[in-house]
Amino acid sequence: MSEERETITLYDEEGNATEFEVIGVVNVEDNDYAILLPLDGEDEETAYIFRIDVEEDGEEVLTVVEDDEEFEKVKQAWEALSDEDFEDENWEDEE
């Protein structure tokens, strides 16, 4: 049974589209952050962190995290969450 991935397409200043897989959302200090992994194949090992902000009309927008301290807090929270998920996995010995 295949698991369907949640994806999102973001556009840069020149209008170039990049498709990302949403690998998770983490909450840090009452803010939600999306952890996105590009699907273009060029940079499969690098995840990106975006803060999920809500505009006055209620629409959610992704904001680049530019503050180094904020970025590190989110990165550490995501790594801790990922480590917990990894430890909870049931692994089968394939030998």
Side-chain angles (χ1 to χ4, degrees), residues 9-18:
T9 302
L10 300 180
Y11 297 88
D12 65 15
E13 296 82 23
E14 290 84 37
N16 299 314
T18 302

Side-chain angles (χ1 to χ4, degrees), residues 2 11 13-14 16-17 19 25 27-28 33 39-40 42-43 46-47 50 58 63-64 68-69 71-73 83 85 92:
S2 69
Y11 297 88
E13 296 82 23
E14 290 84 37
N16 299 314
E19 190 173 10
V25 175
N27 184 283
V28 177
Y33 296 86
L39 295 177
D40 62 9
E42 292 178 21
D43 199 7
T46 302
F50 290 89
T63 304
V64 175
D68 290 340
E69 185 177 331
F71 181 89
E72 283 302 317
K73 286 180 183 177
D83 286 345
D85 287 346
E92 292 181 8

Side-chain angles (χ1 to χ4, degrees), residues 81-94:
L81 182 63
S82 296
D83 286 345
E84 288 175 17
D85 287 346
F86 182 75
E87 291 171 3
D88 290 341
E89 293 279 333
N90 292 323
W91 294 94
E92 292 181 8
D93 189 359
E94 295 185 20

